[in-house]
Amino acid sequence: MLTGHQDGVITLNRLAADAAKREKRRTQPGEPYRTLLGHFRHEIGQSYWDRLVGEGGQLRAFGDCFRNERWDYVAALAKYYADGPPAGWRDRFVSAHTSAHPWEDFAETWAHFLHIVDTQEMAGSFRLRVDPVVTDDVAYRAEVNFDPHAAAGID
């Protein structure tokens, strides 16, 4: 059984829940965020692609952001697993796997979005705040002056 989705039903391969097998599959292709929750979030993204883009008439807008989705999906994945990601993938994608095909790009971006929102919600529930010191040398780069292992002042 493969991990996947169909008609809004998400199926996870039971081997994805096996920590040793998942760790091997996570480290070999260099996918540091390969977790059971990450798989679930990714497949939610695949399912939402069907509804929002495929059925929602947003193919042009999707292509403007994520590339042409008409590439042969099976061939694209086979090429990715045979050759790895293209040079410079870190400059264009949130993970190596997202370079395989635009559908993967959308789904993994969706998964990362859910991860970021969840992290912010969790931090907010503990009243944690980050006060970044923004540097002028690079746009959007910041140094975080917070040590999570010595979080003094939290009620």
Side-chain angles (χ1 to χ4, degrees), residues 12 22 28 38 47 50 58 76 89 99 121 129 134-135 141:
L12 296 175
R22 187 179 59 251
Q28 283 179 344
S47 186
D50 289 344
Q58 297 297 317
W89 68 265
S99 69
E121 182 180 33
R129 285 186 294 255
V134 180
T135 60
R141 179 165 291 189

Side-chain angles (χ1 to χ4, degrees), residues 108-134:
E108 199 66 7
T109 300
W110 184 280
H112 279 67
F113 170 75
L114 291 179
H115 179 63
I116 291 166
V117 169
D118 185 45
T119 300
Q120 290 176 330
E121 182 180 33
M122 179 63 76
S125 72
F126 286 101
R127 292 185 293 243
L128 294 174
R129 285 186 294 255
V130 176
D131 185 16
V133 177
V134 180

Side-chain angles (χ1 to χ4, degrees), residues 69-124:
E69 48 66 52
R70 292 184 193 107
W71 299 348
D72 183 302
Y73 181 72
V74 173
L77 286 182
K79 179 174 175 20
Y80 170 77
Y81 284 113
D83 302 338
W89 68 265
R90 285 181 176 87
D91 296 331
R92 299 178 307 216
F93 302 101
V94 297
S95 73
H97 186 70
T98 61
S99 69
H101 189 276
W103 291 343
E104 296 299 324
D105 196 359
F106 179 87
E108 199 66 7
T109 300
W110 184 280
H112 279 67
F113 170 75
L114 291 179
H115 179 63
I116 291 166
V117 169
D118 185 45
T119 300
Q120 290 176 330
E121 182 180 33
M122 179 63 76

